Amino acid sequence: MKTAILALICLQLADSAAVFDRNYTKPYVLKKTWVQNFIKFQYIFEGNQQKPKIVPLGCSPTNVDSDDYLKPGETSIEHDFLFSCEEGEDGVLNYEATACIDAYGQVMHPGEKRSLSNGTVVLHCNIYGGALKKVVERAAGCYFNETIYSEDEKWVELQVNPVDSSIDGRLMQCFRPHYSYYESHVVGCVIGKLGVLIGEFGQLLDGSYVKCVEAELGHVSLKQVSVDELQCNMDDKTFAHASQWTDEKKGANMKCNFGHIVKESCVIGNETLPIGQEVPVSRGCIFLCHPQTNVYICDNYLPEFQVVDTESEDLGPIEGNQVVVEQPDKKKSLKTVFKF
């Protein structure tokens, strides 16, 4: 009889054995558990007075009550997102996506992006409308070495052909022909800090001259050339590279620069005007020193000008034009513009 009573007392003590909350401070008696909105709750009776209380235990990624759940601070990967079970200062648990998972299983934090499909697609991980989302969009530009270059932007691709030592890399540029797909094109040669476009000339540090040539599509190299190949031709005359002269017919100071004729300044009488400067001239006109042509802006009709059927020659400054020292009270409007 004593043995039976002792066993009954032991069973009663086992039923009322105390367990502890997450802070391990108060004794509780375990009761029913359930899951609501991915949070696992437990209904308990607290203390000797058996006061009922509901406490959150953790997070359930499956939203089903089971022994497999996340404790506060733990994470889980579900549906290409990283979910975290976090406990606030008020003891409330939250189960929400805190990061994205890319196609390679790597974590993407909000604000990060990845380039996919050889750079033609960009994956964004960001907060949209208060929720973390993954957004895929087509890349607006050309992709190279984890970088997207916009239209007309240039970059350098290092030389990959060990046989050709004439260049250090290829000069690339992003194009978008006919507003369609973006395309990367080879546009020049690079050696050191010098970039030379295809078909153009350059000078190396040792003083020698080179030309960038494209032997076959996409393959460029630098070819040694003589200084004579850098000459300029104009009006049946030949000018050496780096030479300068004054063209009285065009009213301009010229220079031969790597095979190209460059207009450096304008000349009216004894006055030399830099490119871009506007000055008042005689006959009530304004003269603009343009890098390609001479521009006269006049309010009044000039009888010496007539419409011609064929393209006229470049006449340069109007004969007898002189720079007016005093600025007119009223700047001339662009009523009549002559370019020649």
Side-chain angles (χ1 to χ4, degrees):
M1 182 65 179
K2 292 182 179 180
T3 303
I5 294 174
L6 181 60
L8 181 60
I9 294 174
C10 291
L11 288 174
Q12 186 175 0
L13 290 174
D15 289 339
S16 61
V19 295
F20 299 89
D21 66 355
R22 290 190 298 276
N23 297 323
Y24 298 98
T25 57
K26 296 181 180 180
Y28 293 103
V29 177
L30 287 174
K31 290 297 180 182
K32 181 182 177 182
T33 61
W34 72 95
V35 172
Q36 183 177 352
N37 294 330
F38 299 95
I39 304 299
K40 183 171 183 176
F41 296 94
Q42 185 177 44
Y43 192 77
I44 64 171
F45 294 96
E46 181 181 10
N48 296 329
Q49 298 180 356
Q50 299 291 293
K51 182 180 179 180
K53 186 177 182 180
I54 297 176
V55 294
L57 295 180
C59 306
S60 175
T62 60
N63 205 27
V64 175
D65 186 15
S66 67
D67 294 334
D68 187 15
Y69 64 93
L70 301 177
K71 297 179 181 179
E74 294 182 340
T75 60
S76 174
I77 296 178
E78 303 288 339
H79 310 293
D80 293 334
F81 288 93
L82 179 68
F83 288 83
S84 299
C85 185
E86 302 291 343
E87 182 178 7
E89 295 180 356
D90 53 0
V92 176
L93 290 182
N94 292 310
Y95 181 69
E96 58 185 3
T98 57
C100 307
I101 305 299
D102 65 11
Y104 306 102
Q106 301 297 319
V107 175
M108 295 176 59
H109 296 287
E112 293 184 349
K113 62 182 180 180
R114 297 280 193 275
S115 297
L116 307 174
S117 300
N118 198 24
T120 59
V121 175
V122 180
L123 172 65
H124 295 268
C125 178
N126 221 326
I127 298 177
Y128 301 93
L132 188 66
K133 297 181 181 180
K134 293 168 62 176
V135 177
V136 178
E137 66 177 2
R138 180 179 169 186
C142 302
Y143 175 82
F144 174 73
N145 196 22
E146 302 295 330
T147 304
I148 297 176
Y149 296 91
S150 59
E151 186 177 3
D152 296 330
E153 192 173 0
K154 295 183 178 70
W155 69 95
V156 176
E157 291 186 5
L158 297 180
Q159 173 67 295
V160 294
N161 184 7
V163 179
D164 186 4
S165 59
S166 66
I167 62 174
D168 296 328
R170 305 185 303 172
L171 184 63
M172 309 293 295
Q173 188 172 7
C174 185
F175 291 92
R176 191 183 183 189
H178 308 295
Y179 300 98
S180 59
Y181 294 99
Y182 291 90
E183 299 177 356
S184 302
H185 290 187
V186 181
V187 295
C189 308
V190 176
I191 180 168
K193 295 183 178 181
L194 175 66
V196 183
L197 296 178
I198 295 176
E200 299 293 338
F201 301 97
Q203 186 175 17
L204 303 182
L205 294 177
D206 60 4
S208 62
Y209 296 98
V210 292
K211 182 179 182 180
C212 181
V213 295
E214 187 175 24
E216 54 183 288
L217 185 63
H219 297 279
V220 292
S221 61
L222 287 175
K223 174 186 175 183
Q224 293 284 338
V225 296
S226 65
V227 68
D228 293 339
E229 297 186 49
L230 279 65
Q231 294 177 344
C232 301
N233 295 311
M234 179 179 178
D235 296 335
D236 298 327
K237 296 180 181 179
T238 301
F239 301 92
H241 167 62
S243 62
Q244 296 174 298
W245 70 97
T246 299
D247 190 316
E248 296 182 356
K249 180 180 178 181
K250 292 181 171 56
N253 291 320
M254 302 293 194
K255 180 180 180 179
C256 178
N257 187 50
F258 291 98
H260 296 281
I261 297 177
V262 179
K263 182 179 179 180
E264 294 188 308
S265 58
C266 300
V267 178
I268 296 183
N270 296 325
E271 299 284 343
T272 299
L273 308 175
I275 299 296
Q277 183 173 349
E278 288 186 11
V279 293
V281 294
S282 55
R283 308 189 191 187
C285 298
I286 291 177
F287 174 77
L288 169 62
C289 184
H290 191 272
Q292 276 81 41
T293 185
N294 295 328
V295 180
Y296 293 91
I297 305 171
C298 306
D299 275 341
N300 302 322
Y301 166 70
L302 301 180
E304 59 265 39
F305 286 104
Q306 296 181 359
V307 177
V308 295
D309 295 332
T310 59
E311 185 177 353
S312 61
E313 296 181 355
D314 188 346
L315 300 178
I318 301 175
E319 185 179 355
N321 259 345
Q322 296 179 355
V323 176
V324 178
V325 177
E326 295 182 357
Q327 182 75 20
D329 295 336
K330 180 180 178 182
K331 189 173 181 179
K332 302 302 179 182
S333 62
L334 302 180
K335 292 182 179 179
T336 309
V337 178
F338 299 97
K339 295 183 179 181
F340 53 90

